[in-house]
Amino acid sequence: MPAKLPSLPPHDSLKLRKTLSAPGLLERVRGCFSEVTDHRKTKPDYPLVDVLMSGLALFSLKDGSLLQFDKQRGDKARRHNLKTLFGIPDAPCDSQMRTVLDGVKPQHLRPVFRSIHQELQRQGILEGYRFLGKYLVSADGTGIFSSGAVCCPDCCTKTHKDGREEYYHQMLGAVLVHPDKNTVLPFFPEAITKQDGSMKNDCEHNASKRLIPQLRQDFPRMGMILLQDALSCNAPHIRLLKSNGYSFIITAKARRDSLLLKTVLEGLANGSTQELAGTTGKKLPCGYRYANGIPLNHANQDVRVNYIDYWEERPDGTTFIYDCVTDIPLTADNVADVVRAGRSRWKVENETFNTLKNLGYNLEHNYGHGKQHLSTVFATLMMLAFLIDQIQEACCQYFQAARARFHSRTALWEKMRGMFREHLIGDWESFYAAIIWGYERANLTPKGYRSG
């Protein structure tokens, strides 16, 4: 029989936040999931909310496959812990989970992301993410599925030179970032999939047209600065950002013969372009060249932007160059911060996509493709699990202490999975306490009971 872990009182030095810890966040998620309309016509074997929560549990535990998650379905510890930790009285088998989630429209999961971010606002957590007076939101696309054989109506298609067909899904992620914070806070991702009634592939540009107004609709009073790569440095996209009330910092990569760079260079002679020298945090030389009110290009001279050309020497003797356009008026006092903000765009790639692909979440693993929306729904649930982990890493003292015990996230995930399989866990406090202090320091016997 699995050992039972008792409900431990919080350690004197640790507190479990009511709404911004695992139990509070999962309760909020369950409430949102209960509002999702069930697409099934017949009486279901499992309520949709329990199927969705089971999918979230899969990614919260970072199981390597749906089969691995399903293998312990009959285990007493697993059944008990899914109920006590995730509120799931009875989880479906792997095939049932795939069948049910395949019919869920991904956009029906959008409210849960909005609800969590609204709670972060209420609790004052987002104030710590302000930079330049607003919130930095980095957006970029990434692949989530690719196959030469498996496909669905949502798949985009690529034909190789040798005639091979490749089917793929991507998504456009948007995350709240800060130059000085390692934690990022994802918003609801926009799927890059073939749209209903379209014969053409979807793309990151079209996905941006959907994500940008939806983000503004979800957070109408939240001042945001969109951080994007050079693909977004074009007049239609900048007009879209402005029409939705966003500021922006966009990587430029201006060509030598471009009107943008030509105007900046001419400004060195007439004084409209300013230069500023400085040093990096490693005491190496760096410099800024910046100008305001520059026409974006010959075809769109009415679109005026402010331009920065930044360089810095690296310890290996090479020179790093970064240039960007923005709508933020540039001065000697703020140009360095604008560059810091713009360069934090990479956090959507490094702290988000790389983490999801390489640190236990298995983003590009095919948990199931389905015939409708399964691949996108799984990727969205994975992003939701990542959001919950990031909030705990930023706000939950128990999670922070558990994380500090291990040299890597993957080692923590492995420990959590092992305890989840082997012990009856009464609540999240007990779960984290046993991870943090172990049986001896938590005053637990090997069987999990408090010793006298």
Side-chain angles (χ1 to χ4, degrees), residues 152-191:
C152 71
D154 280 356
C155 276
C156 296
T157 306
K158 179 180 180 180
T159 303
H160 294 272
K161 292 181 179 180
D162 59 4
R164 288 182 298 111
E165 294 287 328
E166 180 183 351
Y167 308 101
Y168 65 91
H169 287 224
Q170 297 175 323
M171 72 177 179
L172 179 64
V175 298
L176 193 65
V177 302
H178 188 284
D180 300 324
K181 294 182 182 292
N182 292 326
T183 51
V184 300
L185 301 174
F187 296 99
F188 175 73
E190 180 63 33

Side-chain angles (χ1 to χ4, degrees), residues 32 47 55 162 165 234 252 323 327:
C32 292
D162 59 4
E165 294 287 328
N234 59 77
D323 62 329
D327 66 328

Side-chain angles (χ1 to χ4, degrees), residues 278-288 310-322 343:
T279 57
T280 67
K282 296 181 179 180
K283 306 301 181 183
L284 294 172
C286 68
Y288 308 83
Y310 170 76
W311 63 270
E312 68 177 43
E313 286 189 11
R314 292 285 176 85
D316 61 3
T318 61
T319 301
F320 170 79
I321 296 175
Y322 168 77
R343 292 180 66 183

Side-chain angles (χ1 to χ4, degrees), residues 18 162 204 221 225:
K18 183 176 180 180
D162 59 4
E204 186 175 324
R221 293 180 295 278
I225 302 173

Side-chain angles (χ1 to χ4, degrees), residues 54 74 83 173 229 261 306 325:
S54 296
K83 184 176 182 178
D229 63 18
L261 193 54
N306 308 323
V325 297

Side-chain angles (χ1 to χ4, degrees), residues 11 50 136 149 176 218 267 350 353 430:
H11 190 271
D50 288 341
L136 306 179
L176 193 65
D218 286 346
N350 296 335
F353 297 147
S430 303

Side-chain angles (χ1 to χ4, degrees), residues 63-74:
D63 274 311
S65 68
L66 191 50
L67 180 60
Q68 180 180 340
F69 180 77
D70 186 61
K71 277 183 176 179
Q72 295 101 33
R73 195 162 62 94

